[in-house]
Amino acid sequence: MKVEKKVVFRLTKCYSIAPLHYRGQDCILVAAEKTDRCLLFDRKGELLDTIWEGPGGTMSMVQIPGSDGQFLATQKFYSPNDSADAEIVAVYPEENGGWGVRTLVKLPHVHRFDIVKRNGTNYLVACTLKSGHKYKDDWSMPGKVYAAALPDDFTAFDKEHPLELQVIRENMLKNHGYYRVTANDMDTCLISAECGVFRFFPPEKTEGEWEVEQLLDAPASDAVLADFDGDGEKELAVIAPFHGNHIRIYKKRGNGLEKVYEYEKPADFSHAIYGGELCGRQTLVVGHRGGEKNLLAFRWEETGGYRSELIDKDCGSANVFHYVHEGKDVLISANREIDEIALYTLEDISG
């Protein structure tokens, strides 16, 4: 692929990325892991606004469906050892300018969350990395997965009147990875932990139960599902183990999954992940934050199987987001290890 890189901003420990539709424009949010800003950009990478100056600690951001610029975000998750005060907040543009921030629910150690939809109902699903700790690097209290049906009006919730959540899965040690997978007009949740990779299906009716399917019983930090080889069935791509250095792809064989590819080099502290169409082909993108700190693309070739390609080096991506702008494929990356927000415009020149 031909790659053009544009550094659009410097943000200390930039981490979380999310799309936001606001005032008729498709925009991009980028927020910091440590105490720093949340910023709003247009899709060319031009800075539009500062959402907040702090407190930071933002692992996830998701637009409230149907809203004009309203979104949910995590705050005060600064690290696995400094996340006891973490919460999910509702963020909204104020009539006279600026942005308001209101607590939706305090949820210690909340790392990833999303809003998914089934049969007209929106559900919040929230994943805690752990449930507590007594000392640094204490993993004796596994994380959980929580959920709640969401109302249309969020204004009733604040610190004194939080959203009520229910536990839908316990004993999720190192509950780190989340990826939304949409199929048959339904959103599902791909959640990765030390105990494996699970797919969560929202209930058919609001009062119903969540369905949980285990796809893999090996430790995983993050995972995606995509049809990389074009045979009509999705493969499972996995980063393993927690913050690990292995990049693997599994394919369904019989009643289980078989590993069909593993990247031949150690990709230390792999973290950023994307799986889907890129320049007209199904592609896996992984960024790792240790070692060579590369941003890599993986594709299936009819002759030779899976092959890797370097997008960037020494960048240390924490998260990436893909979109198409003016007919061109773009990856925006939070290159956390060098405090850099970068746009990569990609073009397939193989044919």
Side-chain angles (χ1 to χ4, degrees):
M1 287 183 291
K2 178 182 177 182
V3 180
E4 293 183 7
K5 179 180 179 180
K6 175 184 177 183
V7 177
V8 299
F9 208 84
R10 300 282 177 180
L11 179 65
T12 304
K13 299 297 181 275
C14 52
Y15 185 94
S16 185
I17 303 173
L20 187 76
H21 190 75
Y22 177 49
R23 294 183 175 177
Q25 185 175 1
D26 289 325
C27 306
I28 302 292
L29 294 162
V30 183
E33 176 180 357
K34 302 300 183 180
T35 301
D36 213 318
R37 288 173 288 176
C38 174
L39 303 171
L40 183 69
F41 297 88
D42 67 17
R43 294 209 166 186
K44 294 180 181 180
E46 297 295 324
L47 180 64
L48 299 175
D49 206 352
T50 296
I51 308 296
W52 63 66
E53 296 287 344
T58 302
M59 300 290 102
S60 303
M61 298 180 287
V62 179
Q63 180 153 11
I64 296 172
S67 72
D68 183 18
Q70 299 178 24
F71 66 98
L72 304 183
T74 49
Q75 289 188 339
K76 302 179 185 177
F77 187 111
Y78 302 110
S79 73
N81 294 304
D82 186 8
S83 55
D85 292 328
E87 60 184 1
I88 300 175
V89 298
V91 187
Y92 51 92
E94 296 180 317
E95 291 184 4
N96 298 323
W99 297 78
V101 179
R102 184 174 58 247
T103 298
L104 180 69
V105 59
K106 180 177 171 60
L107 186 59
H109 313 291
V110 60
H111 182 255
R112 301 294 193 196
F113 77 90
D114 196 9
I115 299 173
V116 294
K117 187 173 185 177
R118 184 174 186 183
N119 294 336
T121 300
N122 290 315
Y123 298 91
L124 177 73
V125 57
C127 306
T128 55
L129 185 66
K130 58 173 71 174
S131 295
H133 56 241
K134 297 179 180 179
Y135 51 86
K136 185 177 180 180
D137 296 331
D138 176 16
W139 293 103
S140 63
M141 305 176 206
K144 302 176 183 180
V145 180
Y146 298 78
L150 290 176
D152 293 329
D153 184 9
F154 283 73
T155 59
F157 301 110
D158 56 28
K159 190 174 295 186
E160 287 72 36
H161 307 89
L163 176 70
E164 185 176 345
L165 299 173
Q166 291 185 332
V167 176
I168 59 173
R169 186 82 179 194
E170 299 194 68
N171 295 317
M172 300 286 283
L173 179 63
K174 298 180 180 178
N175 183 17
H176 180 271
Y178 179 90
Y179 208 89
R180 186 193 303 170
V181 179
T182 301
N184 301 321
D185 296 322
M186 178 178 63
D187 296 328
T188 66
C189 313
L190 200 64
I191 296 176
S192 306
E194 193 75 4
C195 50
V197 180
F198 301 80
R199 193 171 181 182
F200 286 67
F201 297 81
E204 288 190 42
K205 298 180 180 179
T206 305
E207 64 275 11
E209 299 291 327
W210 285 70
E211 178 187 346
V212 182
E213 175 189 6
Q214 184 163 10
L215 304 182
L216 191 70
D217 63 1
S221 190
D222 288 89
V224 297
L225 276 172
D227 182 12
F228 297 114
D229 63 9
D231 70 348
E233 191 163 35
K234 292 180 178 179
E235 287 74 49
L236 179 71
V238 173
I239 292 170
F242 174 65
H243 285 170
N245 62 354
H246 299 289
I247 302 169
R248 297 166 175 157
I249 298 176
Y250 294 82
K251 189 170 184 63
K252 189 174 181 180
R253 302 283 196 215
N255 295 324
L257 290 174
E258 177 185 324
K259 185 177 70 174
V260 294
Y261 174 78
E262 180 162 351
Y263 183 47
E264 65 275 11
K265 298 179 182 179
D268 298 338
F269 205 155
S270 286
H271 200 280
I273 192 166
Y274 164 74
E277 188 168 307
L278 183 66
C279 298
R281 296 175 60 188
Q282 293 294 300
T283 306
L284 170 67
V285 175
V286 175
H288 63 100
R289 292 166 47 185
E292 295 179 344
K293 302 181 180 66
N294 291 334
L295 185 61
L296 301 162
F298 299 85
R299 287 175 159 181
W300 168 264
E301 303 287 350
E302 290 294 337
T303 55
Y306 287 100
R307 294 184 179 178
S308 63
E309 189 171 353
L310 183 68
I311 296 175
D312 197 9
K313 61 182 179 180
D314 197 26
C315 57
S317 175
N319 286 290
V320 294
F321 177 72
H322 167 260
Y323 59 93
V324 176
H325 179 68
E326 295 179 346
K328 296 182 178 180
D329 283 79
V330 180
L331 283 174
I332 180 169
S333 176
N335 292 337
R336 178 196 180 279
E337 304 311 309
I338 56 174
D339 303 328
E340 173 189 271
I341 302 170
L343 293 184
Y344 299 91
T345 302
L346 302 109
E347 181 182 353
D348 192 345
I349 56 174
S350 60

